[in-house]
Structure formats: structure tokens, C-alpha cells
Amino acid sequence: MQHNDITFWGVIASPYQLKMQAIADHAQLSWQRCPDQAGFLEAISTALRLRRAQAAHAIQRFPQRVEGLDEYPEVPYYSLDGKRFFYDSSGLAYHLDQLGKSRLPLLPEHPEQRFICQLIDEAFDEFGLYMVHHNRWVVSAATNCMGEVTSQEMRKVLLWRRKHMAQALPRRQVRRCPYLFSVASPDIDVGLAKKLTPPARQGFPPTHALLDSAWRKYLSAMEGLLAQQPFILGDRFTLADASAYGQLSMNLIDGTAAEVLEELAPLTFRWLCNIRDGGHRGSSGELYLSEHLSPLLEIISDTFTPLMQQNFRAYQAEIDRGQTLFNEAAFDKGEALYNGELLGMPFRSVVKSFQVPVWQNICEAWVKLSNDQRQNLHSQNKALTDENFTLNPPE
């Protein structure tokens, strides 16, 4: 049996799986994605070991976070020894850097570059997911094939249930759209049956225009940046690129969304395809914070930053009220909800406890910079301010 440096448990429908594959390719490590690429017995045994580890709460994250706020994802997971499982796509980059397995570090060593890398990584992971999930199940409602693709990848553990999953997965994901920030207007018509039509939700403002506008701004920022340099932070691939790639490339197989992406941002489209095909493997060169980063940092400061601030404030308020249930479980019960605004448009969401440590880590990383380093970043982009990276900003 061929040994692989990394074993993944995941599916290509997940942007975080795509991100981790890009990280492994950059590090020039061999990998296998289970269950699709494993043999039948290996797929079954890996699934059982993963289930036991989940039940025992034995799956770790690198580096560790405060317990009680994170939740185990459905996918993906990774293992570096075939025994212990870890979760979190960004954690893989930190893990490989700490073990010295990356030929060149995935996180810059220079403090200012490292902070920007972390910021972009988390922005795409947390807010980018909303945009690309919206593109898959709303923009590409009639053209995406994720039910069939994912059921095919999971065939070795689904067995006779594969056909059921192919039909049930799209219905489930469409139903989850409001939880993932995509709320339709009551009169939406995508030409599909009701069970595949993105839902409105009573008391929730429609957010399709907000997500469409944000996605176009992110693409415009990426397009201008990639016209000047090969990667987000300079001449080589970093965690920032991995996160942007993972989210944006998720839509490459979604029909309509892929067509719109290529039309709006042809350079970005080719960049995504190049990374998908391994063109970033072994990339090398200098890292730098160029002036061409400004549009990307500005849209991050208009979306990710205020979203994290509003979620953190709402989390504190709910804790003070004695609330203990958050995330999707609370959303389904109509609990821990709050009102907010992004890009001048209203939204209503549930408090997401797993985003609390994300924002805490970003703010702590900002505070750890020296005054000179923070001032230098601010001089390069006015969106980088103490006010933007404090846990309790003025409302």
C-alpha cells in the first residue's frame, strides 16, 4: 500500500477540503482523500475510527483553541500519521509550518505580513463561505451537481443509500441557506420545485443583493491584485492564497456561478484553475505587502470586520442573558438571533460561537504588533486601525 504524507476525510464540495489540498500541494506532500480515493475496507475503517474519535471528543485542532466555542465540522479532517485526526483547514498550515514540513512557510515570518495573511485567511473562511455557498445554491440553483458528485465520492460508505443522499443533499443545503446568510425575498423564482428554491425567512431581511454585491467587490479586488503579482502576498503561495482559492474555486464546478466568475474576473478564474491543477507547487520568491492589496483589505474591512464585531457583541449579550445554545442548533429554534448591517444593508443572523475565537485571535494578533508596525500597516491602508481590531469597538 502506498504511503501518503496526509490522509484527508472530505469531499470536493467543501471549500475547506480544496484549501487543504492546495496547502498540501504547495508543501509538495502526497495525500489521499477518503473515502473517494481509498479502497473499500480502508474507507470503512477510516470512517469508523473518525466516528469513534468524534464521540470521544479526541479530535484536535492545531493550535488549540478555547474549548466549548468550536464545533466539529462534518468535513474535512486530516491526519499526518494515519491515526490521529485533526480539524480546521487553517490549522493544517500552522501544523505543517510547526513540523517543518513546508518547504517554505505557509505563514510569513515577518509580523506585518503574517497579520495580513491571517486576516485574509479568516475573512475568506468566515465571510467568503457565505458568498460561495450562495453562488452554489442560489445563483447556480439550476446548474450545480453537488448532490450527485458528493454521493459518488461517498459511495463506499453510503452503499445502498447513495441515491437517497444525491437527492437529499441539495434539499438540505438549500434549506440551510438562511443559516449561511443567504435569505431570499418572498417572491423568488428560480424555476425549480419549492424544495430546491432558496427560502425566505419571516423576520429576516433578504440578503441576496448584499452577497452578490460583496462577491463582485471581492472578485474586483482579486482581479486588480493578480494583474500585478502572482499571489496575494507577493511572489509565492501562502495561507492567504489557500483560503481565497478554497472558497472561490468551490464554484468552478457550479455551472452558472463559474461562468459569471470567468466573465467578471478572467485573471482570477485562470489563477484558480492554475492552483487547482497544481501550478503553485514549489512556488518561491519574495513576500511583500503591495499597494495593490488595498481594495481587498477595504472590502474585508467592509464585510468580515464588522460582521465579526457584531457577532462578538451579540455573543457577549447572549451570554449575559444566560444563553447557552448557539450556531445552527439555536438558529433552528429561533434563539440567539441578532440584527446587523453590512454594506449599508440590514441582515439578521444567529450568533456563531465558533467565530468568537476567530475574532479574538485576529484582535490579539493586532495587539501583539508593535506601535510602529501597526502604524506602518495603517499608513499603507486606512482600514487597518486600532478601532477595527478591538473586541469592544464603539457602536
Side-chain angles (χ1 to χ4, degrees):
M1 181 182 298
Q2 181 181 355
H3 170 75
N4 290 285
D5 297 307
I6 306 177
T7 299
F8 294 121
W9 181 271
V11 294
I12 60 170
S14 165
Y16 304 108
Q17 176 63 48
L18 299 174
K19 174 183 172 181
M20 291 204 296
Q21 290 176 189
I23 287 171
D25 285 341
H26 164 76
Q28 299 185 339
L29 299 175
S30 61
W31 53 268
Q32 176 181 257
R33 187 179 66 251
C34 290
D36 182 43
Q37 297 174 343
F40 177 76
L41 292 179
E42 184 183 2
I44 295 296
S45 64
T46 302
L48 291 174
R49 285 190 291 110
L50 179 60
R51 185 175 299 176
R52 285 195 296 268
Q54 289 171 325
H57 298 283
I59 303 178
Q60 300 176 355
R61 182 190 182 276
F62 190 95
Q64 289 277 36
R65 279 184 179 165
V66 177
E67 293 186 7
L69 296 178
D70 269 356
E71 294 183 329
Y72 286 156
E74 292 187 15
V75 291
Y77 294 88
Y78 72 91
S79 176
L80 300 178
D81 60 8
K83 300 176 183 177
R84 294 176 300 162
F85 289 102
F86 293 83
Y87 74 99
D88 191 81
S89 56
S90 299
L92 175 61
Y94 286 90
H95 209 162
L96 295 181
D97 279 1
Q98 195 271 342
L99 294 173
K101 289 184 175 289
S102 299
R103 190 176 63 87
L104 290 171
L106 285 148
L107 283 106
E109 297 176 355
H110 188 280
E112 294 170 30
Q113 296 172 0
R114 190 179 184 91
F115 174 79
I116 295 299
C117 184
Q118 292 174 283
L119 176 64
I120 294 172
D121 169 50
E122 297 292 10
F124 273 103
D125 273 6
E126 301 301 332
F127 186 75
L129 175 67
Y130 298 155
M131 297 187 296
V132 298
H133 189 275
H134 169 80
N135 279 334
R136 169 163 291 167
W137 299 108
V138 179
V139 176
S140 301
T143 59
N144 82 72
C145 55
M146 276 302 96
E148 182 59 35
V149 169
T150 300
S151 66
Q152 168 66 16
E153 285 189 280
M154 300 294 290
R155 65 195 180 280
K156 292 165 187 170
V157 293
L158 288 173
L159 302 177
W160 65 90
R161 295 172 296 162
R162 179 190 161 192
K163 183 176 181 180
H164 171 74
M165 182 183 187
Q167 297 173 343
L169 178 63
R171 295 197 295 267
R172 175 182 181 271
Q173 293 300 89
V174 168
R175 189 168 60 249
R176 295 178 72 232
C177 277
Y179 169 67
L180 292 172
F181 220 78
S182 179
V183 181
S185 60
D187 59 349
I188 187 172
D189 182 4
V190 294
L192 297 174
K194 183 177 180 180
K195 60 188 176 184
L196 293 176
T197 297
R201 189 175 177 99
Q202 188 173 4
F204 283 63
T207 58
H208 287 186
L210 190 165
L211 291 171
D212 287 337
S213 176
W215 185 60
R216 289 169 181 267
K217 290 177 184 292
Y218 271 86
L219 288 183
S220 176
M222 288 292 295
E223 194 74 353
L225 179 62
L226 294 174
Q228 303 298 326
Q229 57 197 64
F231 295 102
I232 291 176
L233 297 182
D235 296 331
R236 67 174 176 85
F237 185 88
T238 66
L239 178 58
D241 300 286
S243 190
Y245 164 76
Q247 298 296 335
L248 297 177
S249 73
M250 169 181 149
N251 293 139
L252 289 180
I253 55 175
D254 286 336
T256 303
E259 294 171 2
V260 177
L261 193 161
E262 184 174 17
E263 179 182 352
L264 292 175
L267 288 178
T268 305
F269 182 87
R270 291 196 294 271
W271 182 79
L272 296 171
C273 292
N274 182 59
I275 294 175
R276 178 199 62 192
D277 298 337
H280 65 301
R281 288 175 63 91
S283 66
S284 61
E286 296 297 319
L287 296 180
Y288 44 85
L289 300 179
S290 77
E291 61 185 13
H292 308 294
L293 263 175
S294 288
L296 181 59
L297 296 176
E298 287 169 6
I299 186 57
I300 286 173
S301 73
D302 289 340
T303 53
F304 169 74
T305 299
L307 179 61
M308 293 300 102
Q309 290 173 334
Q310 291 170 86
N311 182 75
F312 186 78
R313 284 197 297 265
Y315 173 77
Q316 289 180 310
E318 292 295 333
I319 289 293
D320 290 343
R321 284 194 286 267
Q323 178 71 22
T324 59
L325 190 65
F326 299 102
N327 308 323
E328 195 159 7
F331 185 81
D332 290 342
K333 291 186 174 184
E335 297 181 14
L337 302 175
Y338 72 98
N339 297 315
E341 183 178 294
L342 292 178
L343 299 178
M345 290 177 265
F347 71 85
R348 185 166 173 78
S349 186
V350 67
V351 173
K352 292 172 180 168
S353 65
F354 56 82
Q355 290 181 339
V356 169
V358 168
W359 186 236
Q360 289 173 325
N361 289 342
I362 288 291
C363 291
E364 289 170 6
W366 176 260
V367 170
K368 287 179 180 178
L369 295 171
S370 70
N371 289 332
D372 287 345
Q373 288 166 344
R374 292 197 296 271
Q375 184 57 43
N376 187 43
L377 287 175
H378 178 66
S379 67
Q380 294 180 49
N381 192 281
K382 302 305 179 185
L384 303 175
T385 66
D386 289 340
E387 181 177 294
N388 272 351
F389 300 109
T390 180
L391 291 177
N392 292 292
E395 298 190 41

